[in-house]
Amino acid sequence: EPEVTQTPSHQVTQMGQEVILRCVPISNHLYFYWYRQILGQKVEFLVSFYNNEISEKSEIFDDQFSVERPDGSNFTLKIRSTKLEDSAMYFCASSDPAHWGYGYTFGSGTRLTVV
Amino acid sequence: LAKTTQPISMDSYEGQEVNITCSHNNIATNDYITWYQQFPSQGPRFIIQGYKTKVTNEVASLFIPADRKSSTLSLPRVSLSDTAVYYCLVGDMLSNFGNEKLTFGTGTRLTIIP
């Protein structure tokens, strides 16, 4: 079964540092997403990406966040200057609009800890 | 999108059939229902999706009554590995599918007892 792969699985960073979270979506999927989940809280939408541009973003996705698809396989989330409250699990997901009824495929996540 | 309401938690014994009901009283004509499963420290995993009546796949069944104001996820003969949080979501079919954010609630924490 195809998977969404995320690296690293864990990242610890100092407040104010930049981090890049990486994802390899399923190869024939066209839509890509980032979600996050703060410990003990709901899974929250951050951003969706299609055709090399952002389709939609949430209020959480402010100027400190950016996404990029630098090549044909990777999809990255960058946080420019991390804050303590950015500590969370970050999940990448992808979907194929031609397969309605199969949902979105999520990766296993990157646990980001900001100290 | 319609608000969803699910039980916060449920317990069941191994080998039992588990039914988790989700209420979505304000569901619109264009809305569909999706269920996801999440294990600790993992991403949500798609289980099943439907619009009306009954949908079945290799892992679950989804029952949606005629008024569509609720839906029931049915897990046959659960095992310990089915212990997880289960989310019911409502989505809009008329949105550009694939460009629609998923809105997760708090879900139902299902615990399977040996």
Side-chain angles (χ1 to χ4, degrees), chain A residues 3-103:
Chain A
E3 290 184 344
V4 172
T5 306
Q6 290 187 242
T7 55
S9 55
H10 294 87
Q11 172 121 23
V12 180
T13 188
Q14 288 202 323
M15 193 168 53
Q17 294 295 303
E18 174 183 286
V19 293
I20 297 176
L21 310 184
R22 301 178 193 281
C23 169
V24 179
I26 293 173
S27 61
N28 62 342
H29 283 186
L30 300 179
Y31 289 92
F32 314 112
Y33 316 85
W34 285 98
Y35 285 75
R36 81 171 186 190
Q37 187 173 31
I38 296 170
L39 185 64
Q41 298 189 25
K42 299 177 186 178
V43 178
E44 301 175 288
F45 169 78
L46 292 178
V47 66
S48 59
F49 190 87
Y50 171 70
N51 201 25
N52 281 320
E53 59 183 26
I54 290 174
S55 303
E56 186 175 356
K57 59 183 181 180
S58 72
E59 294 170 354
I60 303 167
F61 195 89
D62 61 21
D63 292 344
Q64 293 300 310
F65 291 86
S66 62
V67 289
E68 192 178 34
R69 188 154 162 82
D71 53 42
S73 59
N74 291 285
F75 180 50
T76 62
L77 173 70
K78 182 193 293 186
I79 309 175
R80 289 192 183 80
S81 178
T82 50
K83 308 186 194 71
L84 294 177
E85 54 264 37
D86 293 327
S87 295
M89 284 287 288
Y90 287 81
F91 298 111
C92 174
S94 67
S95 67
D96 176 6
H99 287 90
W100 190 90
Y102 290 89

Side-chain angles (χ1 to χ4, degrees), chain A residues 97-115:
Chain A
H99 287 90
W100 190 90
Y102 290 89
Y104 297 6
T105 304
F106 284 80
S108 294
T110 293
R111 181 179 298 282
L112 177 66
T113 302
V114 182
V115 297

Side-chain angles (χ1 to χ4, degrees), chain B residues 26-32 51 68 92-94:
Chain B
N26 296 321
I27 193 166
T29 305
N30 304 319
D31 290 343
Y32 61 94
Y51 180 77
R68 304 199 324 120
D92 180 0
M93 283 199 300
L94 291 186

